[in-house]
Amino acid sequence: MGLEEKIAEKARANGWHVELRKKHGNRIQDLVLQRGGLVLVIQVKDLSSPAGPRAVTQAKKDFDEYIKHLLEKKLGIMVVPILVSNRISERAKRRALSYGIRHYKPNELEKILK
């Protein structure tokens, strides 16, 4: 039994609703635990070495995708992250694209808002 299954077993025993390796949006979250109004989106790393920055990024992406899933699929709300700036570097454009962040110049945003 892997670490994910062990955590899931303990959570169930303590009254948590458990979703184990279920896809929400475009990502598969290792564990999503819910009890009452609290939801835990858990990234599990069962490695002999310490978890590094990549694991933190993976946990953040899993969380973001789960929140997006809840808002869009369950509540019918679309939330769009936007960066407004007159200029943006190529590196920032690539990062924004990978994070799903849209970039607009102030005048472009003004047109969108009309």
Side-chain angles (χ1 to χ4, degrees), residues 43-56:
Q43 174 62 231
V44 178
K45 293 296 179 203
D46 191 7
L47 306 171
S48 57
S49 59
R54 190 177 200 172
V56 173

Side-chain angles (χ1 to χ4, degrees), residues 18-54:
V18 176
E19 293 182 24
L20 180 63
R21 286 187 295 278
K22 186 171 177 192
K23 186 173 184 173
H24 299 96
N26 296 324
R27 298 182 62 84
I28 297 173
Q29 290 78 26
D30 290 346
L31 281 165
V32 177
L33 308 179
Q34 183 175 358
R35 186 170 68 185
L38 179 61
V39 176
L40 307 177
V41 180
I42 301 174
Q43 174 62 231
V44 178
K45 293 296 179 203
D46 191 7
L47 306 171
S48 57
S49 59
R54 190 177 200 172

Side-chain angles (χ1 to χ4, degrees), residues 80-86 102-109 112:
V80 180
I82 295 175
L83 170 64
V84 175
S85 175
N86 281 320
R102 297 177 187 184
H103 169 261
Y104 298 107
K105 293 179 180 178
N107 64 333
E108 294 170 332
L109 184 62
I112 291 170

Side-chain angles (χ1 to χ4, degrees), residues 55-107:
V56 173
T57 298
Q58 195 173 2
K60 173 71 170 127
K61 287 181 178 180
D62 284 355
F63 169 79
D64 290 346
E65 192 65 28
Y66 185 77
I67 295 302
K68 181 180 170 185
H69 163 79
L70 285 178
L71 291 171
E72 290 180 9
K73 303 295 187 246
K74 302 266 183 178
L75 300 177
I77 299 170
M78 179 177 245
V79 178
V80 180
I82 295 175
L83 170 64
V84 175
S85 175
N86 281 320
R87 298 180 334 162
I88 185 170
S89 71
E90 287 303 314
R91 188 169 166 212
K93 282 182 188 178
R94 289 191 301 273
R95 172 111 9 127
L97 182 63
S98 75
Y99 287 170
I101 296 173
R102 297 177 187 184
H103 169 261
Y104 298 107
K105 293 179 180 178
N107 64 333

